[in-house]
Amino acid sequence: MTITNRPNPNKAFPNPNLPRLCFIKNVVKNPRIIIGDYTYYDDIDGADQFEKHVTHFYDFIGDKLIIGKFCAIAKGVEFVMNGANHRMDCATTYPFYIMGGDWGSAIAPVKEELPLKGDTIVGNDVWIG
């Protein structure tokens, strides 16, 4: 069987009758989010808003989110990136330095002091729900 009329992987919405499905590589703006062909996000409240669900994704850390081809990502999925990490070599993991007031004078950790795990990589043909 030869398939000749397949969806265009370079269109954001492959099926105009299903606006809840989006080929997300075509709507992502952040160059540190790399998405393979035909990977889609399903969200009736805005399938083209995938990037809002990638949290703690700070430029100074430089990590990437890489998702392969033919993956399915359901509404409600959140990708929590390395920026959510806390120092683990102190008396507490509480981030006093970001709370303000007198606590704001606490010393913020530098990147090398955080337990960073590298890029977040999802292979091909993965369902995340």
Side-chain angles (χ1 to χ4, degrees):
M1 179 169 114
T2 302
I3 299 174
T4 57
N5 187 20
R6 61 187 79 130
N8 183 344
N10 298 312
K11 287 181 69 174
F13 297 94
N15 185 341
N17 297 320
L18 289 173
R20 65 179 294 147
L21 298 177
C22 178
F23 286 157
I24 53 178
K25 80 166 195 165
N26 302 306
V27 296
V28 166
K29 304 284 188 256
N30 190 320
R32 292 181 14 250
I33 300 176
I34 302 161
I35 310 289
D37 288 347
Y38 300 105
T39 287
Y40 71 92
Y41 176 56
D42 180 352
D43 188 344
I44 197 165
D45 296 322
D48 58 343
Q49 301 298 310
F50 173 78
E51 280 185 84
K52 290 182 179 179
H53 304 283
V54 181
T55 66
H56 302 87
F57 198 37
Y58 306 121
D59 287 338
F60 76 93
I61 292 178
D63 54 343
K64 295 177 185 171
L65 172 59
I66 303 167
I67 302 174
K69 296 179 181 182
F70 296 101
C71 294
I73 303 170
K75 177 181 179 174
V77 169
E78 297 282 327
F79 289 89
V80 181
M81 303 302 287
N82 278 299
N85 283 316
H86 296 64
R87 286 185 67 167
M88 302 302 289
D89 60 350
C90 295
T92 181
T93 60
Y94 194 83
F96 287 100
Y97 53 90
I98 65 171
M99 297 302 166
D102 288 341
W103 289 358
S105 63
I107 298 171
V110 294
K111 182 177 169 182
E112 292 73 29
E113 294 173 325
L114 295 171
L116 304 178
K117 303 297 183 191
D119 296 336
T120 299
I121 302 172
V122 177
N124 295 318
D125 196 28
V126 176
W127 178 79
I128 303 173

